[in-house]
Amino acid sequence: MSTRALSFTLAAIAAVVVAGAIMVRHSKGTVSPGSDAAVALGPLADGIIQARGMAPADVEAALRTYPRPGKYDDEFMAFLSGGHSGSVIVVGIPSMRIMKEIPVYGQDSWQGWLTGSRESSEIVSEGFFFKDMPLSWGDLHHPKLSLTNGEYDGKWLACADKAGGRLAIIDLRDFKAKQIVKTPNTVSDHGNYWTPNSEYFVTSTFFPAPQPYGTYQPLEKYAETYRGMITFHAFDGNAGRIRLEDTWQIELPPYFQDLISAGKKSSFGWMFTNSLNTEMCTGGTLEGKPAMEVGASKNEMDFVHVINWKKAEELVKAGKTVPLGGCRVLKLETAIAEGVLCFIPVSKSPHGVDVTPDGRFICASGKLDPHVTVYSFEKIQKAIADKNLEGKDRYGIPILKYDACREAYVEVGLGPLHTEFDDKGYAYTSLFLDSAVAKWTLGGPDRLAKDEPWKLVDKLSVHYNIGHLTAAGGDTAKPYGKYLLSLNKWSIDRYPSVGPLHPQNLQLIDISGDKMKILYEMPIGIAEPHASNIIRTDKLKAWVTYPEVGFDPKTMKKDPYGINIGQERVVREDDKTVRIFMTLVRSQFRPDIMRVKEGDHVILHVTNVERARDATHGMALHGHNLNLSIDPGQTVTVEFDAKHPGVYPWYCTEFCSALHMEMTGWMLVEPRNDEKQGRK
Ligand code: RUQ
Ligand code: CUA
């Protein structure tokens, strides 16, 4: 084909893609978007396509992902974890534009998170492991959207902290973290999953901890004294809060429990957890012992844990637990005796366990085996009923016969990790070693796909070393299909160097056709996005301002210290305490002078009385590590000691109006005695 003919063809493709269902007026590409003025696409597109050396697939991808200015073109929103940045990142799909980064475990001065506001420090400090060792970060791995009937309801987002053994709840009315809880009796939470109606947010430990919790036990006594935990954090879906008093745990053997997935539909009431290190290796490279990577990969098979949580819940209600670390714990012996826990063998060092949308099958992959093993829930039930066992592990946990539970063994490629699902009966598995996504057909009585069941049908290279993948709605009972996000750990040569720390790479993949296609590639240089959930944008019903002036986002109620215009005042409560009620509106602070005395404890309640959408103000005070972000209607409280006599200006940090530069104030800290005149 001549260059001219090729570019003609590309322009025609562009026209067809743009038009979609819209009429194409003539083949050289003048399209009519509805009744709007026609767009002359042909010659212009020719030139751009040629100059940029674009292939047909590039043109299609560009046209499918380009967001029109000012239009709400993103059909989906991805909630990405920020990994060890401790945040959640919200990204529009298909445009791949970052909409927001929600601070959770770490600091964010833009949003005034942990830069002075009492509300944010109270929320974060609730989750500290040691009260005298504040944590300023977390390792946020798996953001999970709350569920109603196994589908995303757009209300809450929860995510555990692998390093801190904590979990956080984010309210999707204002996209802010509301609660951080330290999981009892754990030193690490990795897997996390909602039960199908968000009855519980369930977390599983990665590292087992010595029990009783908080005690010292040598690694030599690992097998006897260390234990894993699966925690059922009771969730109040109206308040959007974990109720620690109703939370309970099941003690597990000291394997690394890794990831979890909840049964749904026919498998409702059950929970599945993959585990590695059934060898119980503890390392010791300088002590003549094998490294973890060697010692923990010896066994040919590890275990998927099969947990009957509905039954466990009954036992908890019947008081069969012991109190431990402020929580009710179902001991391992009880869980075994009552038939709450059993194992299924899974090939070597698995990572991830995923339940199909129909709830009938459980997929697990050993990263060192190029297959996904598919277990049938029905067969598992039969094996349990028939006591069809291979044996027991050293703790007496029954191991179901592998062959009796297995439905399929699908060859997908090297290094399979995680599996998600679409709306057409296909599964997608990330292949870390192959740097690829494998697409394969699900089987079973409800199967939708036309292809032969349990078979690899497509494979797409990604760049590079994919960890998680996320299909839209891909871990729910009703996946949306259409898009898949590949979260790649390495970007190597994809971008110009920005220094030795490379951005991680996200790739948006079209899964609507028979063949997967890459639509967009996005370096994300602000965090390590570990995993995500993708929801339909129209399921999110976020507020644009707070419902009334003087609102506290922590309680989602009127703040007792919230005021309106005209109620500003400075109250000296005693010789040492000054309480100031302040309002903000474009473009002034009221009061704009705070007079306090050296050593005073200052309590400041700042209310943004604006009712206009997007009229957020900031407040940065010199020398006091303080920057607040106050949204329209919000009240923020800050407390500090005015230790140092001096003069400290403050100003608004959001460019809010033409007179933003004038939106300022002074804090005057008068010395208590005249000799002291300034910084010590
Ligand atoms: S784990 S890369 Cu923390 Cu989700 Cu699999
Ligand atoms: Cu308020 Cu700038």
Side-chain angles (χ1 to χ4, degrees):
M1 209 191 282
S2 73
T3 328
R4 173 97 203 109
L6 174 67
S7 92
F8 177 87
T9 317
L10 293 181
I13 290 172
V16 171
V17 173
V18 163
I22 310 164
M23 179 187 68
V24 179
R25 265 201 204 136
H26 61 80
S27 64
K28 192 75 202 251
T30 301
V31 300
S32 165
S35 59
D36 286 354
V39 183
L41 191 65
L44 183 62
D46 276 0
I48 297 170
I49 290 161
Q50 233 174 2
R52 296 197 58 200
M54 293 169 90
D58 300 328
V59 176
E60 184 187 343
L63 292 169
R64 301 234 340 239
T65 54
Y66 175 72
R68 294 167 302 163
K71 302 276 189 234
Y72 292 10
D73 276 346
D74 283 319
E75 195 184 344
F76 298 97
M77 289 283 166
F79 288 85
L80 288 155
S81 63
H84 46 277
S85 82
S87 62
V88 170
I89 303 155
V90 188
V91 168
I93 285 182
S95 76
M96 299 298 280
R97 291 172 298 179
I98 295 178
M99 302 292 172
K100 190 174 250 182
E101 185 174 12
I102 307 170
V104 181
Y105 299 112
Q107 195 193 61
D108 179 327
S109 41
W110 174 49
Q111 293 173 69
W113 192 254
L114 301 182
T115 49
S117 95
R118 183 165 80 185
E119 294 82 0
S120 63
S121 12
E122 278 175 3
I123 291 168
V124 178
S125 59
E126 269 302 294
F128 291 163
F129 186 62
F130 296 116
K131 294 294 169 203
D132 61 350
M133 263 189 216
L135 300 170
S136 61
W137 73 285
D139 190 8
L140 194 157
H141 275 215
H142 309 103
K144 291 282 179 193
L145 291 155
S146 57
L147 303 171
T148 300
N149 293 325
E151 293 177 45
Y152 300 148
D153 54 25
K155 289 184 177 162
W156 314 101
L157 183 79
C159 35
D161 164 19
K162 180 177 175 184
R166 296 178 284 177
L167 80 137
I169 304 289
I170 293 165
D171 189 331
L172 295 179
R173 284 173 293 183
D174 61 355
F175 283 51
K176 287 179 185 171
K178 296 301 158 94
Q179 188 186 25
I180 294 181
V181 168
K182 172 71 194 80
T183 303
N185 305 318
T186 75
V187 290
S188 170
D189 277 355
H190 187 221
N192 61 209
Y193 216 92
W194 293 102
T195 52
N197 288 300
S198 304
E199 297 93 341
Y200 295 101
F201 188 63
V202 190
T203 59
S204 60
T205 50
F206 192 77
F207 297 102
Q211 302 294 344
Y213 177 67
T215 56
Y216 169 80
Q217 295 292 346
L219 283 171
E220 287 68 30
K221 288 172 122 184
Y222 184 87
E224 301 80 52
T225 59
Y226 287 53
R227 291 293 177 266
M229 287 284 175
I230 185 164
T231 309
F232 291 78
H233 299 269
F235 186 66
D236 176 342
N238 291 318
R241 296 291 184 278
I242 298 295
R243 290 187 318 256
L244 258 181
E245 60 286 9
D246 295 325
T247 293
W248 48 272
Q249 304 182 295
I250 308 176
E251 192 182 65
L252 296 174
Y255 310 145
F256 290 5
Q257 270 83 25
D258 201 26
L259 292 171
I260 52 180
S261 190
K264 47 187 145 234
K265 296 180 180 167
S266 58
S267 56
F268 177 82
W270 294 71
M271 206 80 209
F272 307 93
T273 309
N274 77 286
S275 66
L276 53 137
N277 197 22
T278 49
E279 298 84 351
M280 296 190 283
C281 173
T282 54
T285 42
L286 285 188
E287 298 168 18
K289 292 181 196 136
M292 281 299 293
E293 62 170 335
V294 178
S297 326
K298 272 202 193 128
N299 292 351
E300 271 319 305
M301 294 298 225
D302 289 296
F303 301 124
V304 165
H305 296 34
V306 178
I307 296 164
N308 184 342
W309 69 261
K310 266 287 163 196
K311 180 146 187 202
E313 188 186 50
E314 281 165 27
L315 298 170
V316 171
K317 282 185 188 147
K320 301 246 168 158
T321 53
V322 299
L324 187 67
C327 191
R328 290 167 299 166
V329 178
L330 206 56
K331 295 290 284 177
L332 186 55
E333 312 80 89
T334 320
I336 299 168
E338 300 282 350
V340 161
L341 171 68
C342 63
F343 287 158
I344 322 175
V346 63
S347 29
K348 215 179 178 111
S349 306
H351 184 48
V353 58
D354 299 285
V355 178
T356 54
D358 60 13
R360 285 178 186 273
F361 303 103
I362 296 100
C363 310
S365 340
K367 347 182 240 288
L368 306 175
D369 170 353
H371 295 85
V372 174
T373 307
V374 182
Y375 304 95
S376 145
F377 180 69
E378 221 172 289
K379 288 184 179 176
I380 294 170
Q381 293 305 301
K382 188 163 188 312
I384 294 174
D386 297 349
K387 297 205 167 49
N388 196 355
L389 304 183
E390 300 204 354
K392 290 185 175 176
D393 84 332
R394 66 176 281 172
Y395 298 96
I397 302 163
I399 306 167
L400 302 177
K401 245 201 198 115
Y402 176 70
D403 292 334
C405 302
R406 195 175 92 175
E407 178 77 23
Y409 193 52
V410 188
E411 184 163 0
V412 287
L414 298 179
L417 298 181
H418 303 288
T419 299
E420 292 230 347
F421 309 93
D422 72 4
D423 56 335
K424 297 196 180 76
Y426 295 95
Y428 300 82
T429 300
S430 53
L431 305 174
F432 181 83
L433 297 175
D434 267 355
S435 285
V437 173
K439 173 181 178 181
W440 49 280
T441 33
L442 295 174
D446 307 326
R447 66 184 280 251
L448 300 167
K450 52 185 172 14
D451 300 291
E452 194 184 319
W454 312 124
K455 210 172 161 6
L456 179 73
V457 292
D458 190 25
K459 208 160 156 177
L460 179 78
S461 291
V462 293
H463 313 90
Y464 302 90
N465 298 91
I466 175 173
H468 277 268
L469 45 64
T470 308
D475 61 352
T476 69
K478 215 166 172 217
Y480 310 128
K482 229 167 163 174
Y483 296 110
L484 181 129
L485 207 51
S486 166
L487 291 83
N488 309 322
K489 305 289 188 192
W490 293 60
S491 65
I492 308 182
D493 53 5
R494 304 297 283 186
Y495 307 108
S497 174
V498 288
L501 174 62
H502 290 38
Q504 296 208 351
N505 197 19
L506 304 179
Q507 286 179 311
L508 179 71
I509 297 168
D510 169 18
I511 54 167
S512 58
D514 287 345
K515 287 262 160 214
M516 293 180 280
K517 289 185 225 170
I518 291 180
L519 291 179
Y520 200 93
E521 178 156 308
M522 179 208 200
I524 184 156
I526 53 173
E528 183 237 342
H530 192 93
S532 64
N533 265 183
I534 301 176
I535 186 172
R536 287 191 61 88
T537 308
D538 59 17
K539 289 254 177 193
L540 297 168
K541 302 274 183 277
W543 295 345
V544 291
T545 60
Y546 284 108
E548 56 181 316
V549 167
F551 206 77
D552 176 5
K554 185 173 175 246
T555 56
M556 286 304 240
K557 284 194 190 106
K558 171 97 185 180
D559 190 309
Y561 297 103
I563 57 164
N564 225 314
I565 286 240
Q567 299 172 313
E568 301 88 351
R569 59 204 186 269
V570 178
V571 185
R572 175 157 285 280
E573 298 198 330
D574 55 44
D575 186 40
K576 283 277 173 203
T577 316
V578 183
R579 192 183 288 272
I580 300 164
F581 294 82
M582 184 185 281
T583 60
L584 301 177
V585 73
R586 275 163 291 168
S587 305
Q588 57 170 286
F589 293 91
R590 221 182 148 80
D592 56 0
I593 298 174
M594 294 194 279
R595 292 177 194 280
V596 300
K597 290 214 157 56
E598 174 192 358
D600 271 348
H601 184 64
V602 180
I603 307 168
L604 177 62
H605 307 290
V606 197
T607 301
N608 179 346
V609 297
E610 301 265 8
R611 302 313 292 137
R613 187 171 178 166
D614 202 15
T616 293
H617 296 281
M619 183 180 181
L621 174 65
H622 173 75
H624 289 70
N625 196 31
L626 184 115
N627 184 42
L628 308 176
S629 169
I630 313 112
D631 294 336
Q634 183 180 356
T635 296
V636 177
T637 292
V638 49
E639 280 188 56
F640 60 90
D641 292 321
K643 285 187 204 154
H644 305 287
V647 175
Y648 307 95
W650 84 77
Y651 65 97
C652 170
T653 35
E654 280 283 329
F655 209 111
C656 54
S657 70
L659 296 172
H660 156 80
M661 299 306 285
E662 287 77 7
M663 196 170 169
T664 62
W666 300 100
M667 179 170 81
L668 304 166
V669 184
E670 275 179 63
R672 287 263 173 189
N673 69 54
D674 289 341
E675 294 98 76
K676 277 203 239 149
Q677 280 288 343
R679 193 144 64 101
K680 281 165 241 167

